[in-house]
Each structure stands twice: as C-alpha cells, then as structure tokens.
Amino acid sequence: MSKRFVIIRHAKSSWATLGQADFDRPLNDRGKKDAPQMAKYLLEKKIQIDSFISSPAKRARKTAALFAKAFGIDENAIQLKSQLYLPDEVAFSHAIETASDKYAHLAIFSHNPGITHFVNSLTSQVRVDNIPTCGIFGIKTNAVSWKDFEKAEKEFWFFDYPGNHGLTHSS
C-alpha cells in the first residue's frame, strides 16, 4: 500500500505578549477557529490521518491537538520532534523516514519557511510561493515503507488553506 502525508503549517499565532519567546507563542483566536475548520475539511474529503507528528513549539502543538481532536485521536498520541521547529528539508525527510510503517497516512505540523521549501522540493508538478498559516499540502508516494521515502516517487495530491474556503480574510 502506498503512503500519503499532509504537511500542515501551524495555525495563526499571537504576537500579543511582548518579549515572549518565539517557541512559546500560542494560537490567536483566528488560529483556534481555522484549525478545527481545516480538520473538518479533511474529514469531509475523507482524507485519513493515522499518525500526528509535530514541532514541539506551542503553536504547532496546539494546531496538531485541534486536528487530532477532530480525528478522534488522543492528544497524547502526537509525536513531538524537536527538529521540526525551525526545520530544514532534512528535518522533514527524517521525520517521515523514521515514522512507523504501521501508519499509512501522516500529518506533520511545522513552520515556515521550512515547510514551503520542503514541499517545493518534493515534486515539479506544483510550486507554491508560501504555505499560509493552517495551509495543508498533500503528497502521495509509491513508498511501501516510510524509510524508502527519499527515493520514492512523489505525486502532488492537493494544497488548501483557510482563505481558500472563506474561513479567514487576509489582513
């Protein structure tokens, strides 16, 4: 069976607390609204997720938790990987290649600019200038095992984001 995954940029975060460490920034109200709505969109499209992997930064963890809740997955099942905070392409590949093969559908929650660079490295079918907050980029692979991800053929699956559904308005 082929493997599929979605890369999700954390939902909109707050800059309200002056001097707060970037790692500790929470979601703002828009982010708390967009994440469950985008999770619902995936469910409506019958897109499966059976493993949640996230950056440990507060805004990414909370986004992953909101998606997990929508999918009926215990928040404690979310795997936190420190390399997904301020990631490079190698960090994403490593997170994918070390995933358990018992999972066929991964969701990875992380940050820009790493997400945008990574998805643009995966396929020549689609290029994006920016993965917006709570944006989701899906990829299908012909890999039978996640450890074969790097050499597997990758195919663009879909790209969506809250503003594409009227969930948020650009500010």
Side-chain angles (χ1 to χ4, degrees), residues 63-125:
T63 303
L66 290 168
F67 273 76
K69 181 178 179 184
F71 276 79
I73 303 290
D74 184 344
E75 182 177 337
N76 294 320
I78 299 168
Q79 300 170 58
L80 300 179
K81 300 213 178 236
S82 60
Q83 71 265 29
L84 293 176
Y85 177 64
L86 306 178
D88 59 14
E89 292 171 26
V90 173
F92 288 107
S93 293
H94 184 263
I96 293 166
E97 290 172 342
T98 57
S100 170
D101 283 330
K102 70 180 178 181
Y103 304 119
H105 307 94
L106 305 179
I108 299 171
F109 298 82
S110 191
H111 312 266
N112 248 353
I115 284 179
T116 299
H117 293 308
F118 180 64
V119 300
N120 282 328
S121 76
L122 296 175
T123 174
S124 60
Q125 295 166 305

Side-chain angles (χ1 to χ4, degrees), residues 35 40 42 50 57 64 67 83 109 115 125 134 142 146 149:
K40 181 181 174 196
L42 292 181
D50 48 24
F67 273 76
Q83 71 265 29
F109 298 82
I115 284 179
Q125 295 166 305
C134 219
N142 70 348
W146 288 116
F149 167 75

Side-chain angles (χ1 to χ4, degrees), residues 5-11 30 34-35 37-47 63 67 108-109 112 115-116 119 126-139 156-168:
F5 66 93
V6 292
I7 303 262
I8 302 167
R9 182 176 173 198
H10 65 78
R30 181 173 125 190
D34 286 351
Q37 288 180 325
M38 288 305 290
K40 181 181 174 196
Y41 164 77
L42 292 181
L43 287 164
E44 288 170 354
K45 296 289 182 193
K46 303 206 181 324
I47 294 170
T63 303
F67 273 76
I108 299 171
F109 298 82
N112 248 353
I115 284 179
T116 299
V119 300
V126 173
R127 265 195 84 68
V128 294
D129 292 331
N130 177 52
I131 302 286
T133 52
C134 219
I136 305 171
F137 194 96
I139 288 286
F156 171 74
W157 185 10
F158 70 95
F159 171 48
D160 221 329
Y161 52 94
N164 200 31
H165 295 274
L167 301 179
T168 60

